[in-house]
Amino acid sequence: MEKFIPGTENDLLLYTLIAVFAPLLAAIINFCLPANRKHAGWVSTGAVLTSAAMAAILFIHIWENKTFHVQQLWFGIGDTKVFAGIWLNNLSVMMLGLVSLIALPVHIYSIAYMHHDARFNRYFTYLSFFCFSMLALVVVDSLILFYAFWELVGFSSYLLIGFWFTREAAVQANKKAFIMNRIGDVGLLAAIIILFSHFHTFDMVALFGEDGLVANAAIFNHLWIAPNSNLPVAWHYVVYAGIFLAVAAKSAQFPLHSWLPDAMEGPTSVSALIHAATMVAAGVFLLGRVYPLFTAEELDAFAIIGCFTAFMAATIALTQNDLKRILAYSTISQLGFMVMAMGVGAYQSSLFHLVTHAFFKCLLFLAAGVVIHEMQHIKEENKLDINPQSILYMGGLSGKLPVTCIAAIIGAMALIGLPGTSGYLSKDSILIQAFEWSDSKGAYFKLVPITALITALLTAFYVTRLIAKVFFGDFKLSLVNPNLKFHISDGGWNYVLPLIALALCSLFPLFSSNWLQYEDSWLFEGLGKIGYADTESVYHSLIPGVLTASSLVVIATAFFLYIRSKASAHSGPLFRVSYNEWYVDKDYNKFVVQGVLLLSNALYWFDRNIIDGIINLFSSITKALAALSAWADRYIVDGVIYLLTVLVRRTGNFVRMFQVGRVQYYLYSMLAAVLILFILKSMI
């Protein structure tokens, strides 16, 4: 199954390989460089710039054009032949461009942000390897290769999250991320094995492409019927469960979401890349790749879980005080919107929001990095014992960090979804289609879009709280330390340029000429009409108006509470649930971790006392038998042998007495023998 664009296939293949392998080459070069060579950053930046250029060329050739698919035989086992190749369509070139475009400002930013770090080379080695893994993931055409790069994305994120491995919190965070993602990986592996056993191929184009094997399969009479085989329908549900676990782990959906806030222990630039367009986006990308697999009921489950995750994460973000942790829960919430969109059939809206979210979330994280960086300087200069990431110590930084403030406000507006931003287009498209979906489902399903609408308003509140506490009001440290000395600024061009570029990309012109209609977006149109009813409804005018007006009221209320009235935290039950992150981690520690430890201790006791006891018993019996055998060998066997030896020796000595060499003695002996025989015969 090969599809080519005539006359360009070789060029497209070359461009793809360069885009994917340029970061890998940079990682190898940086790995081989002597320690603390600062040009490692430019090596990685040049590589990702090359990837971005190649991705742009591929985008121009592929977007809304023919699919490019090329493969060759990789290996064979018996009659099974496994192919490896490249699959480029609208989805893959979109992701290829997104990953490289987001990675580029992160690399430029990182050169300044990590400049004084002792492991500068190692950081860019890991970062380049991370980009290589993600770029390869989005273009491969084989489930085997997809799984391999899926694992490499997880492994490289493990390295980056725990980059500051001298910190215990970072070590615990990367272990937590690694373990929780392994749960999802087991699910994905199980799904791949079942798909292969049913369809007899790992080729993703043959499985999930237009008119592919999965699309032609059907569920009938409790059977999952494929063109060449049948399986009980239970196996289809196992595949769905496996993919759900993979998506929940990678894209931080309930109940496997709690690793992502802890992943903030890595450098802020890493957080920007992970949260924007790489690791957490892989789960949503997987849904987009295998979308034809799911039934209507399975998509409904995705809609419900995504909606709940979005709401839960938004309520938690309301009360958090760690700047990066607030943004982390915001990411979980927005990923919930994307998964919900997939569930309600808004395939293109989900991917549209994936792209817009990548730009404004990366912008917010990089802006947060500038703030934290400057707060760290204040801490070190004044020898303070504070957490530089806590918004409780911030405030009034708009005058000191004007570019960062403006960039953060633009990112916040896009995250809230205010008109004029890209977030307005993508988030409204999800909410509108969610309401349209619920109309055909029944009354109870109305809870999904209504909850999503409430979540959008909660987003407006916690984002306004963040902006207000960081950039407006009084600088809290100055209030408690009147003699505080500090000299802070937006930093050099390495900081400012990425912020400006990402801020511009968070506005509507990059995606649409019409700032009010998401249907006019070139990106939305290019992603096709999968699962989308192209009809106008009252929601198209009602939802944007209601949401915008309500968001403005919420923004004004939050700004008044945290700036004008200087509201303090409450201590009611709802506040405690939110502040303690719905007690999810505590419940995991109580029921899962403690349960595993209890089981481990029980198994350890059983191994130590029962298994080892049995082994020690057999050991003692064996030792006793060996001792008995040694005694018998020494005193019985050796004794008998010694006795025989003595008898033989004495018999020999006795016989030797007759061997004196004199004939007369032999004659006397013979005469004595004859006489003895004669006497014995006479007596008998």
Side-chain angles (χ1 to χ4, degrees):
M1 181 179 290
E2 299 184 4
K3 296 181 180 179
F4 298 105
I5 300 175
T8 64
E9 61 270 14
N10 291 332
D11 291 338
L12 294 178
L13 177 61
L14 178 61
Y15 297 150
T16 305
L17 294 176
I18 293 174
V20 170
F21 285 100
L24 178 62
L25 179 61
I28 295 172
I29 293 173
N30 288 339
F31 179 79
C32 296
L33 286 175
N36 298 324
R37 290 297 179 89
K38 299 304 180 183
H39 51 264
W42 292 111
V43 172
S44 292
T45 303
V48 80
L49 177 60
T50 302
S51 295
M54 296 299 103
I57 295 172
L58 290 168
F59 190 89
I60 293 170
H61 279 85
I62 300 297
W63 186 255
E64 294 189 315
N65 208 323
K66 294 181 179 180
T67 298
F68 174 73
H69 180 215
V70 58
Q71 60 181 190
Q72 66 178 20
L73 181 64
W74 186 10
F75 63 88
I77 302 176
D79 295 332
T80 301
K81 298 185 183 302
V82 178
F83 292 85
I86 291 172
W87 178 21
L88 298 180
N89 60 2
N90 283 3
L91 176 59
S92 53
V93 295
M94 179 196 78
M95 288 298 299
L96 196 68
L98 181 64
V99 172
S100 55
L101 283 176
I102 292 296
L104 182 58
V106 170
H107 276 71
I108 295 172
Y109 181 97
S110 296
I111 292 174
Y113 193 80
M114 301 297 293
H115 181 74
H116 298 291
D117 196 281
R119 302 178 185 89
F120 188 83
N121 279 34
R122 179 182 294 184
Y123 171 82
F124 278 100
T125 300
Y126 292 169
L127 199 64
S128 291
F129 187 70
F130 189 32
C131 292
F132 157 71
S133 303
M134 189 64 196
L135 290 169
L137 177 74
V138 302
V139 300
V140 294
D141 74 333
S142 167
L143 284 173
I144 293 179
L145 286 174
F146 186 91
Y147 185 77
F149 288 112
W150 180 274
E151 288 292 315
L152 287 179
V153 168
F155 172 68
S156 51
S157 66
Y158 165 83
L159 296 175
L160 287 168
I161 292 169
F163 178 75
W164 287 320
F165 56 85
T166 55
R167 302 178 184 178
E168 179 62 22
V171 173
Q172 295 300 324
N174 73 345
K175 287 196 294 186
K176 184 177 182 180
F178 191 82
I179 291 170
M180 296 193 80
N181 273 275
R182 295 293 72 73
I183 298 172
D185 296 346
V186 170
L188 180 58
L189 180 60
I192 290 172
I193 292 171
I194 295 170
L195 286 170
F196 176 76
S197 66
H198 194 32
F199 296 103
H200 311 295
T201 182
F202 292 108
D203 189 342
M204 296 175 71
V205 180
L207 288 169
F208 308 111
E210 293 182 10
D211 198 33
L213 295 171
V214 170
N216 287 318
I219 295 176
F220 179 74
N221 198 22
H222 303 293
L223 289 175
W224 186 15
I225 303 171
N228 297 315
S229 65
N230 298 329
L231 283 178
V233 70
W235 290 110
H236 185 278
Y237 300 138
V238 173
V239 171
Y240 167 75
I243 291 176
F244 166 74
L245 286 175
V247 172
K250 265 301 191 284
S251 291
Q253 297 298 286
F254 179 83
L256 301 178
H257 66 282
S258 61
W259 67 268
L260 191 57
D262 291 352
M264 299 301 95
E265 293 298 331
T268 304
S269 48
V270 168
S271 302
L273 193 58
I274 289 177
H275 284 246
T278 51
M279 184 174 178
V280 297
V284 179
F285 173 75
L286 173 61
L287 281 182
R289 273 296 199 218
V290 304
Y291 198 72
L293 176 68
F294 306 118
T295 64
E297 292 77 14
E298 291 166 347
L299 289 174
D300 291 346
F302 272 124
I304 294 169
I305 293 168
C307 180
F308 175 76
T309 302
F311 175 76
M312 176 195 66
T315 60
I316 294 173
L318 291 171
T319 59
Q320 301 305 303
N321 295 316
D322 187 293
L323 180 54
K324 289 172 65 176
R325 206 167 182 86
I326 295 171
L327 294 177
Y329 276 108
S330 171
T331 298
I332 296 173
S333 183
Q334 298 307 305
L335 289 167
F337 272 103
M338 299 173 206
V339 173
M340 182 193 74
M342 286 287 184
V344 302
Y347 171 89
Q348 61 275 58
S349 293
S350 176
L351 297 174
F352 185 19
H353 194 55
L354 172 66
V355 176
T356 60
H357 173 264
F359 288 103
F360 60 72
K361 184 53 61 68
C362 185
L363 171 62
L364 286 170
F365 265 107
L366 295 188
V370 173
V371 173
I372 294 168
H373 196 63
E374 298 306 316
M375 290 295 293
Q376 182 68 31
H377 286 168
I378 296 174
K379 174 185 176 180
E380 294 172 353
E381 185 178 356
N382 294 273
K383 298 180 180 180
L384 301 175
D385 184 18
I386 63 169
N387 177 9
Q389 296 182 187
S390 176
I391 62 176
L392 298 179
Y393 298 111
M394 301 176 190
L397 296 179
S398 58
K400 299 291 184 180
L401 308 173
V403 176
T404 304
C405 176
I406 295 172
I409 290 174
I410 293 174
M413 291 171 59
L415 178 56
I416 295 169
L418 294 180
T421 66
S422 59
Y424 172 84
L425 298 172
S426 59
K427 184 178 286 187
D428 280 8
S429 69
I430 293 174
L431 292 172
I432 290 169
Q433 291 176 74
F435 274 98
E436 292 174 343
W437 165 83
S438 66
D439 284 345
S440 62
K441 288 290 183 179
Y444 290 111
F445 285 93
K446 280 290 183 185
L447 290 173
V448 171
I450 291 173
T451 303
L453 190 61
I454 294 171
T455 302
L457 297 178
L458 292 176
T459 302
F461 189 91
Y462 72 70
V463 171
T464 304
R465 172 179 177 264
L466 184 151
I467 295 295
K469 280 186 166 290
V470 173
F471 294 105
F472 297 97
D474 298 321
F475 187 44
K476 308 302 186 299
L477 277 180
S478 293
L479 296 179
V480 296
N481 297 280
N483 298 322
L484 191 71
K485 299 177 182 179
F486 61 94
H487 305 281
I488 61 176
S489 67
D490 290 305
W493 70 270
N494 298 76
Y495 291 116
V496 173
L497 184 61
L499 292 178
I500 294 174
L502 290 169
L504 293 175
C505 292
S506 299
L507 301 175
F508 78 92
L510 179 64
F511 300 98
S512 176
S513 58
N514 188 336
W515 63 297
L516 295 175
Q517 294 292 330
Y518 68 87
E519 295 93 341
D520 293 337
S521 168
W522 60 268
L523 181 60
F524 183 87
E525 292 178 353
L527 290 170
K529 301 294 182 182
I530 300 176
Y532 171 62
D534 191 13
T535 58
E536 285 286 338
S537 68
V538 66
Y539 298 117
H540 283 253
S541 55
L542 180 63
I543 296 301
V546 169
L547 182 59
T548 300
S550 302
S551 295
L552 291 174
V553 172
V554 170
I555 291 170
T557 303
F559 197 83
F560 174 79
L561 286 174
Y562 290 104
I563 299 300
R564 298 299 182 186
S565 65
K566 300 180 180 178
S568 58
H570 300 285
S571 58
L574 292 178
F575 174 85
R576 289 194 295 272
V577 170
S578 171
Y579 186 77
N580 290 286
E581 301 168 349
W582 283 46
Y583 299 100
V584 172
D585 271 339
K586 290 186 178 180
D587 289 340
Y588 278 158
N589 288 328
K590 183 177 181 180
F591 297 107
V592 179
V593 176
Q594 294 302 319
V596 170
L597 290 175
L598 183 63
L599 177 62
S600 299
N601 289 329
L603 292 174
Y604 176 75
W605 180 89
F606 184 81
D607 177 70
R608 189 77 178 267
N609 295 277
I610 305 299
I611 303 298
D612 286 355
I614 294 173
I615 292 173
N616 291 333
L617 176 62
F618 279 112
S619 174
S620 299
I621 294 172
T622 302
K623 288 179 180 179
L625 291 174
L628 180 62
S629 176
W631 181 88
D633 179 70
R634 186 171 183 179
Y635 294 101
I636 297 177
V637 177
D638 288 355
V640 170
I641 294 173
Y642 179 74
L643 178 62
L644 291 175
T645 303
V646 171
L647 289 174
V648 170
R649 185 172 64 245
R650 292 187 177 182
T651 302
N653 291 336
F654 176 75
V655 172
R656 192 165 52 246
M657 292 171 57
F658 299 97
Q659 304 298 320
V660 296
R662 296 179 181 179
V663 176
Q664 57 269 32
Y665 282 106
Y666 298 152
L667 291 175
Y668 294 152
S669 298
M670 291 175 63
L671 179 61
V674 169
L675 288 174
I676 291 171
L677 289 173
F678 180 76
I679 293 169
L680 289 174
K681 185 166 180 65
S682 298
M683 293 177 64
I684 295 173

